[in-house]
Amino acid sequence: MSNIINAIYNLVTDFVNDLNRENHGLNRANQMGEALEEWVKDLFANTLRTQNEQQRLA
């Protein structure tokens, strides 16, 4: 489990601003919300640049 300081450190040192906006929701707001949620999860897990979905979920 990570904490907020590690997440901020990951944000500053390895900034990635491309959100993955897949068509899972019915409207654009839902799509952007899901993309932001996944980005924040990756930020806390330090998996911003991980391409393998299994490694991200682990």
Side-chain angles (χ1 to χ4, degrees), residues 4 10 13 20 22 27-28 38:
I4 190 71
N10 293 336
T13 59
N20 186 10
E22 297 175 359
N27 61 32
R28 187 166 184 230
E38 291 299 318

Side-chain angles (χ1 to χ4, degrees), residues 8-58:
I8 293 171
Y9 177 78
N10 293 336
L11 176 64
V12 172
T13 59
D14 194 20
F15 183 73
V16 176
N17 64 351
D18 54 337
L19 298 178
N20 186 10
R21 293 176 247 175
E22 297 175 359
N23 293 327
H24 292 297
L26 296 176
N27 61 32
R28 187 166 184 230
N30 285 346
Q31 292 171 0
M32 288 303 296
E34 288 179 17
L36 178 62
E37 182 180 341
E38 291 299 318
W39 184 78
V40 171
K41 286 179 187 177
D42 287 339
L43 186 65
F44 275 90
N46 196 18
T47 57
L48 288 172
R49 300 217 186 256
T50 303
Q51 298 296 323
N52 188 343
E53 189 67 23
Q54 293 300 323
Q55 288 178 344
R56 279 188 65 242
L57 293 175

